[in-house]
DNA sequence: CGATAGGTTGACCGACATCAACCGACGTGG
DNA sequence: CCACGTCGGTTGATGTCGGTCAACCTATCG
């Protein structure tokens, strides 16, 4: 290991060390904790431009969002909430990475989605009495916590929450489509393209990043066996699409990956591979 | 075919005839259109007890829900809304059946979910500027239409809407689990058990009903080929689990079907088949 | 009556799960 | 510091579930 021994593309990055508060790319700020929210208000927050949560407090720009507990941090494998917990707040992920998953009675877990900085967790319990899924930290994470009780006091918050909720629904629908209609290769390509784009949006490199989840979790999310995930990753590498070393990914040929993501599916989807335009299901 | 020729269990039912406003089971009322909402108010609506939409106007029980256009009806294959349409309202399905689906650029369609009377459509576009999915009528349907503009005037509606939205989210998560972790048999069993329970909730028979969707649509929803759906259905019949004739289903051994639905998955889920208690993922 | 759409059935085979062995990284304790 | 166990990841061999192709059946409708 120790990076860059075999592949010059990949720069060694410190993963899972305690001081690492960001995911992927370079830390965008130099300070101690660049992701600390200034005053319980998004106005001066550096994540503001891509943070979907910031739309909430954008409403109350004049005065800071009340009752916003900020800079709540959790370490690897800690839970933000678990199935059955009573909903108390919604959480804006500021840094790190989180997975949302279901637990079947037999112990098997089903990863439902991965969350990146700027995304909002806990919405799926909004009107209910209990969380129906668990959220576990994959990479030391820092949150803005907005207690449900305080939401009422944010005028106009509903529009924003509705939007976030429906965005999540739409995302899930795409996930369903991805899982049912595409073959393993397309699933992986899609997954990587999606990650890449989300990293880029956040100001990180879209071509060099590291995965915050293990193969098992990718497999669970995409409905593939670990071995398949591994194999496809190395196949992609052999074909010159990307470089991979454990969790570190370096996308070499994004266009081709994108093409694989869009078509290359279960045969009846194929046909017009001619189309070259950007596909981008997401 | 012509019903009951081979299987004594199944009673011939008139499908898709113009006067048939309900799905499955027997019509619960004798009149002309038993599903006509009385006065734009849920108070006297016969679907009230199971209608999740009724929670909305329950809030404003004293005076009827304002601006509620009711008894909007659509025929087979008509669209309630399409991908790209600007959201105008939310729709409570009063009778009939609807499918929600996505269209991939290559023309393939992905069924995302099926809706039954009492369920609410259009929530996934609430905070947004366009529908991201299409809703097509599978069986002549009748809706209560609640224009988005009028929602504000219903005090306390947000709690209800949040709840509906998160319920939908949770449902989708279960769908994802179903699709990724279970084998074809378990998927079908799950699908049927789910349908059965929803019918029962609505006062119809949970053991004898007919499907409002064709095999293709079931296949798309579950991520299976049509042929597989067909084969598994006949296998279930051969094993004495149910009787099937085209769209008509009569569940004979519900317990065993339920067991298949819960476990019987991809091997690593098996193990403790000993447990006999009710499984009910849904 | 023929045309068409939905559904069933059989034969075949390929993608992917499964099983098993192995490897490197990492943490712990002697 | 090394031995060792554990965990995550890779790779190969093998089996099989379910997708694909093709033919056929049945109901429905003009």
């Amino acid at each position: 290991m120790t990076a860059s021994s075999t592949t010059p593309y990949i720069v060694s990055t410190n993963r899972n060390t305690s001081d690492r508060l960001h995911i992927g790319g370079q830390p965008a700020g130099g300070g101690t904790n660049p992701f600390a929210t200034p005053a319980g208000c998004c106005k001066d927050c550096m994540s503001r431009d891509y943070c979907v949560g910031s739309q909430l407090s954008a409403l109350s720009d004049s005065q800071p969002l009340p009752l916003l507990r900020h800079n709540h941090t959790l370490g690897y494998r800690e839970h933000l909430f678990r199935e059955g917990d009573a909903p108390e707040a919604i959480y804006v992920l500021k840094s790190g990475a989180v997975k949302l998953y279901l637990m079947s009675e037999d112990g098997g877990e089903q990863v439902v989605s991965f969350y990146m900085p700027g995304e909002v967790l806990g919405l799926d319990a909004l009107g209910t009495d209990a969380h129906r899924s668990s959220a576990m930290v994959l990479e030391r994470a820092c949150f803005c916590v907005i207690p449900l009780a305080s939401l009422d006091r944010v005028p106009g918050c509903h529009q924003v929450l509705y939007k976030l909720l429906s965005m999540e629904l739409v995302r899930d629908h795409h996930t369903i489509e991805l899982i049912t209609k595409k073959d393993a290769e397309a699933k992986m390509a899609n997954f990587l393209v999606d990650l890449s784009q989300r990293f880029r949006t956040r100001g990180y490199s879209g071509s060099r990043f590291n995965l915050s989840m293990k193969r098992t979790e990718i497999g669970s999310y995409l409905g593939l066996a670990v071995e398949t995930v591994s194999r496809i990753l190395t196949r992609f590498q052999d074909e010159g699409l990307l470089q991979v070393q454990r969790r570190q990914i370096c996308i070499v040929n994004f266009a081709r990956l994108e093409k694989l993501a869009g078509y290359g599916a279960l045969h009846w989807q194929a046909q017009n591979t001619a189309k070259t335009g950007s596909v981008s299901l997401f």
Side-chain angles (χ1 to χ4, degrees), chain A:
Chain A
M1 258 282 57
T2 62
S4 70
S5 54
T6 54
T7 64
Y9 295 92
I10 295 187
V11 189
S12 157
T13 338
N14 47 339
R15 266 202 5 83
N16 273 342
T17 60
S18 53
D19 61 338
R20 188 153 185 288
L21 288 170
H22 63 286
I23 39 177
Q26 306 71 17
T32 47
N33 180 356
F35 295 94
T37 313
C41 164
C42 302
K43 200 156 43 171
D44 303 322
C45 176
M46 50 158 297
S47 320
R48 162 147 209 177
D49 44 343
Y50 63 77
C51 177
V52 290
S54 75
Q55 299 178 43
L56 258 175
S57 85
L59 298 165
S60 56
D61 243 7
S62 41
Q63 77 267 46
L65 237 190
L67 296 184
L68 175 98
R69 197 170 5 129
H70 59 293
N71 300 333
H72 179 56
T73 79
L74 291 175
Y76 179 55
R77 284 194 153 276
E78 287 193 280
H79 276 85
L80 190 56
F81 52 79
R82 289 170 187 267
E83 247 169 287
D85 286 357
E88 296 174 342
I90 61 178
Y91 312 86
V92 184
L93 181 58
K94 302 227 47 181
S95 66
V98 174
K99 73 171 172 186
L100 193 74
Y101 68 99
L102 306 179
M103 208 73 182
S104 1
E105 55 286 351
D106 52 23
E109 86 172 34
Q110 169 65 47
V111 174
V112 167
S113 52
F114 298 107
Y115 289 86
M116 279 196 184
E119 295 173 332
V120 181
L121 281 133
L123 290 170
D124 53 336
L126 253 194
T128 71
D129 55 346
H131 284 283
R132 301 299 174 75
S133 54
S134 311
M136 198 183 94
V137 170
L138 297 179
E139 218 165 314
R140 171 170 285 276
C142 172
F143 304 90
C144 291
V145 180
I146 307 175
L148 295 183
S150 76
L151 273 180
D152 297 334
R153 306 184 212 165
V154 184
C157 74
H158 299 299
Q159 278 311 308
V160 177
L161 289 176
Y162 288 145
K163 183 175 180 183
L164 295 179
L165 237 1
S166 23
M167 278 170 49
E168 188 121 0
L169 266 177
V170 170
R171 228 221 278 190
D172 285 348
H173 291 170
H174 282 289
T175 302
I176 290 177
E177 183 178 30
L178 176 64
I179 290 170
T180 54
K181 302 237 286 208
K182 312 269 174 130
D183 62 11
E185 202 166 62
K187 283 180 186 179
M188 280 301 297
N190 238 305
F191 175 70
L192 291 169
V193 167
D194 179 42
L195 276 190
S196 166
Q197 288 175 343
R198 282 156 81 191
F199 275 123
R200 199 158 359 132
T201 309
R202 268 141 257 266
Y204 299 124
S205 163
S207 58
R208 182 161 57 242
F209 52 86
N210 37 29
L211 305 169
S212 45
M213 67 295 281
K214 40 189 173 191
R215 304 285 189 269
T216 324
E217 290 159 338
I218 299 178
S220 169
Y221 175 63
L222 295 176
L224 299 173
V226 208
E227 295 92 329
T228 307
V229 173
S230 182
R231 262 186 269 266
I232 297 210
L233 237 26
T234 63
R235 189 197 306 170
F236 280 171
Q237 181 169 246
D238 293 345
E239 289 170 353
L241 291 179
L242 47 79
Q243 296 288 328
V244 52
Q245 239 160 37
R246 304 201 117 241
R247 305 281 183 97
Q248 311 177 36
I249 300 284
C250 176
I251 297 181
V252 176
N253 192 332
F254 191 81
R256 216 139 66 78
L257 202 61
E258 220 178 7
K259 189 172 294 187
L260 272 187
Y263 308 103
L266 282 177
H267 176 263
W268 50 274
Q269 285 211 319
Q271 309 298 88
N272 48 357
T273 326
K275 275 197 213 166
T276 37
S278 70
V279 185
S280 73
L281 281 177
F282 291 84

